[in-house]
Amino acid sequence: MKPKIALRVAGILMLLHTLGHTIGALTWKQAPNATIQRVVDGMNNNHFPFMGSSVSLGLFFDGYGFIMIGVLLLLTVLLWLLSAEPNRRFILPVGLFLLFMGITELTYFFPFAAAFSLLAGLSTIYAYFKSPLWKRSN
């Protein structure tokens, strides 16, 4: 498989990850049962002062979720742009970051989310090893 295809596969995987994360980030307050609803309510209803603002853990959770939508979308676009002109200098750090993200998701979240990042990371690392060492500038 050519590096371009491997990076596009990684980009599509991250786009799917972005879509799934967006759905989760927008619907996390819709609890499937009463026990989880009590936790959600506690996260949203208990405000405390933090750096001059009144915040809740629910607001932090929302904020981190929205930031991650942006990060995942940025990774999707970056992988697609790299696929147009694979550059080994940038491919390796992106691939390593995706593997790190996948391991973190596996540790703190759930395997389904981790699979997207881990597969995208492996595909990106594959593209790194398949890309030419040197590319002429002309």
Side-chain angles (χ1 to χ4, degrees):
M1 179 182 344
K2 293 181 179 181
K4 176 179 184 169
I5 300 300
L7 290 168
R8 294 226 167 149
V9 166
I12 290 168
L13 286 167
M14 292 315 295
L15 178 62
L16 293 172
H17 194 344
T18 304
L19 293 173
H21 181 82
T22 301
I23 291 167
L26 296 176
T27 62
W28 76 272
K29 294 176 187 175
Q30 300 167 7
N33 62 51
T35 303
I36 295 173
Q37 188 62 55
R38 283 192 299 275
V39 173
V40 169
D41 290 344
M43 289 176 68
N44 287 308
N45 296 333
N46 294 304
H47 288 258
F48 54 93
F50 183 77
M51 299 184 77
S53 294
S54 176
V55 297
S56 69
L57 289 178
L59 287 173
F60 283 144
F61 200 74
D62 276 337
Y64 286 127
F66 295 139
I67 286 171
M68 278 308 298
I69 292 169
V71 169
L72 292 169
L73 194 56
L74 176 65
L75 283 165
T76 301
V77 171
L78 179 61
L79 287 162
W80 201 264
L81 292 173
L82 278 173
S83 75
E85 190 173 331
N87 184 323
R88 285 175 61 96
R89 274 186 304 185
F90 299 117
I91 294 173
L92 183 60
V94 171
L96 292 174
F97 176 75
L98 288 168
L99 291 177
F100 165 77
M101 197 166 90
I103 292 167
T104 303
E105 288 168 334
L106 190 57
T107 304
Y108 294 101
F109 299 104
F110 48 94
F112 190 68
F116 286 103
S117 299
L118 290 170
L119 290 172
L122 291 173
S123 186
T124 304
I125 298 295
Y126 174 86
Y128 171 77
F129 286 109
K130 288 296 184 177
S131 1
L133 287 174
W134 304 106
K135 195 167 191 169
R136 290 181 175 251
S137 57
N138 298 9

